[in-house]
Amino acid sequence: MKKTAFITGIAGQDGSYLSEYLLSLGYRVTGIVRRNSTVEHQRDRIYGLPIELEYGDLIDQGSIERAMRLFKPDEIYNLGAQSHVRISSDIPHFTVQTNAMGVLNMLEAFRHIVPNAKFYQASSSEMFGSAVDEDGYQRETTPMHPVSPYGCSKVFGYNIVRHHRNAYKLFAANGILFNHESPRRGSNFVTNKVVKGAVEISLGLADKLEMGNMDSFRDWGHSKDYVRAMHLILQQDKPEDYVVATGETRSVREMCEYVFGKLGLDYQAYVTQNPKFLRPEELPYLRGDSKKIRTELKWVPEYSFENLMDEMIAHWQEIYSTK
Ligand code: NAP
Ligand code: GDD
């Protein structure tokens, strides 16, 4: 029988790729979107997909329960979040309400309405914050010392998932995903900001790019690879938490060097620093050890860092060639 998936954050980067992936596997795909005054743009990433949508908000418990009763999902993917780390310092209350209390709202609806379903929580490497193991990696056992309202809210979500799993014997699992990108990434995240800016400079449409901290390190993978991991985590007999990462780390500076270099440019001639893009507290270094999901669930990413960046560059070149 056709399985039903219920996705929050369905119109976001991951929600859109996950929808396409689950549709390709024969799922009925459902989800909630928030009310927004510009409805067309809000649904750009999921335009034309044969999915069922209702209005809902993670902060509005009644709307979550309504959707859960209507869709009766077999698998629940809680991807909805205020997902921008720097902006979480500007709107900390909204961030915590959505990313922390929103998870509790989802878990309670799951527990009372469809307790036999499976639940995936979009947890994050930002939860590790300033903690790094001695060998230079973060993994499932690394302590969590978050350094942003976003990271703090995600730690609550992570822990309440584990609590509900243990207390009520629910299938609830965390994917602890490191940064993942794509042409569908919001253009105020660093990779897409750099790629878009560099393509504009290469075409003479801009002459500089204002950045924040160039010396933080991130472990960047492709969203398409990471949504396969989400699905895999829910196909197991036992709910467990998994780190999903490439295991490679690069600085923002190195990423700029690659992207501008691909376009025949020297990033140093164009990139300036604007303090407005710095963070009140920076997370300087992320590198994930995803041995558990690779060995136990046989997850293998298909994209390299270079393939990912090249795809994003081609995307922006295509957009500007049709303007
Ligand atoms: P994204 O593109 O920002 O998508 C987030 C989605 O959540 C958007 O559709 C957004 O809708 C929705 N949303 C925001 N507030 C909501 C609320 N109160 N109620 C219901 N929906 C709400 O993020 P993403 O990159 O796809 O990430 C998906 C999830 O994975 C997020 O939980 C993120 O924190 C987590 N994560 C991401 C990464 C990464 O590197 N991408 C890594 C680790 C974890 P609007 O457009 O209406 O705001
Ligand atoms: N956004 C942004 N804009 N980041 C910049 C800039 C800039 O102009 N200049 C430097 N950076 C640096 C940030 O300070 C950070 O160290 C790094 O680039 C990455 O920033 P983002 O791309 O905004 O991502 P993030 O690492 O803060 O958060 C993303 O990854 C988390 C997983 O670790 C988000 O997707 C989170 O939702 C996710 O949980």
Side-chain angles (χ1 to χ4, degrees):
M1 215 179 67
K2 210 173 192 172
K3 278 196 202 170
T4 298
F6 172 37
I7 307 174
T8 70
I10 192 166
Q13 172 189 249
D14 291 1
S16 64
Y17 282 119
L18 180 64
S19 295
E20 288 170 7
Y21 182 58
L22 295 177
L23 286 168
S24 78
L25 298 179
Y27 278 68
R28 169 183 173 234
V29 176
T30 71
I32 51 166
V33 289
R34 296 193 296 164
R35 188 268 159 181
N36 183 300
S37 64
T38 52
V39 68
E40 294 82 3
H41 285 309
Q42 184 188 24
R43 299 184 188 186
D44 275 356
R45 296 181 179 111
I46 49 173
Y47 182 74
L49 293 182
I51 58 183
E52 294 169 44
L53 295 179
E54 290 290 324
Y55 283 108
D57 194 305
L58 288 166
I59 291 173
D60 184 335
Q61 177 76 39
S63 73
I64 300 298
E65 289 176 6
R66 188 176 84 85
M68 209 73 94
R69 285 186 209 287
L70 192 67
F71 295 138
K72 295 188 181 57
D74 302 291
E75 295 177 12
I76 301 162
Y77 295 87
N78 187 35
L79 311 187
Q82 192 303 92
S83 70
H84 200 286
V85 174
R86 201 206 57 70
I87 296 172
S88 77
S89 301
D90 299 343
I91 48 170
H93 284 87
F94 174 76
T95 301
V96 171
Q97 283 294 329
T98 295
N99 301 5
M101 296 307 289
V103 183
L104 180 58
N105 290 342
M106 285 292 289
L107 285 168
E108 286 293 285
F110 159 42
R111 168 159 95 94
H112 293 298
I113 299 168
V114 281
N116 295 322
K118 293 182 170 183
F119 185 97
Y120 172 88
Q121 169 58 18
S123 285
S124 164
S125 47
E126 186 75 19
M127 299 188 304
F128 296 122
S130 56
V132 188
D133 287 356
E134 273 185 6
D135 64 357
Y137 289 85
Q138 287 106 350
R139 46 178 63 83
E140 289 82 0
T141 50
T142 305
M144 292 175 183
H145 298 302
V147 294
S148 62
Y150 173 84
C152 294
S153 69
K154 285 284 179 180
V155 171
F156 176 85
Y158 166 84
N159 280 317
I160 199 74
V161 162
R162 290 167 66 93
H163 165 71
H164 271 58
R165 170 163 87 211
N166 297 334
Y168 308 118
K169 309 297 169 231
L170 297 168
F171 191 114
N174 288 290
I176 306 172
L177 272 51
F178 282 62
N179 299 48
H180 46 279
E181 320 293 312
S182 73
R184 295 184 194 170
R185 183 62 138 159
S187 57
N188 56 355
F189 293 90
V190 77
T191 53
N192 219 11
K193 177 174 169 175
V194 168
V195 173
K196 182 181 179 203
V199 169
E200 284 173 350
I201 290 169
S202 74
L203 296 173
L205 300 171
D207 55 12
K208 66 172 180 169
L209 179 63
E210 291 185 345
M211 299 288 299
N213 179 14
M214 297 288 285
D215 296 311
S216 54
F217 285 75
R218 290 292 184 272
D219 177 331
W220 284 296
H222 197 301
S223 172
K224 271 189 182 177
D225 283 333
Y226 288 42
V227 301
R228 282 193 293 106
M230 296 176 190
H231 176 254
L232 206 48
I233 289 170
L234 293 199
Q235 306 318 301
Q236 308 311 308
D237 295 332
K238 253 182 72 206
E240 290 201 29
D241 304 329
Y242 298 90
V243 158
V244 182
T246 70
E248 292 177 14
T249 193
R250 286 177 179 78
S251 66
V252 172
R253 189 177 299 284
E254 287 166 335
M255 188 261 294
C256 286
E257 205 171 349
Y258 180 81
V259 172
F260 279 82
K262 264 299 228 198
L263 296 165
L265 303 170
D266 176 358
Y267 82 94
Q268 296 179 86
Y270 304 99
V271 171
T272 58
Q273 192 176 68
N274 184 334
K276 115 173 162 193
F277 298 114
L278 296 173
R279 294 168 183 205
E281 191 179 357
E282 177 64 276
L283 191 168
Y285 179 90
L286 285 174
R287 182 178 197 176
D289 173 5
S290 54
K291 191 157 83 205
K292 181 176 173 188
I293 194 165
R294 287 174 193 249
T295 52
E296 293 181 13
L297 309 193
K298 312 286 176 234
W299 175 78
V300 186
E302 287 172 3
Y303 277 83
S304 66
F305 172 80
E306 290 77 12
N307 295 156
L308 165 64
M309 291 298 136
D310 294 353
E311 186 181 299
M312 292 173 72
I313 292 170
H315 167 78
W316 282 107
Q317 286 177 324
E318 164 81 21
I319 287 190
Y320 285 116
S321 75
T322 55
K323 276 194 174 165

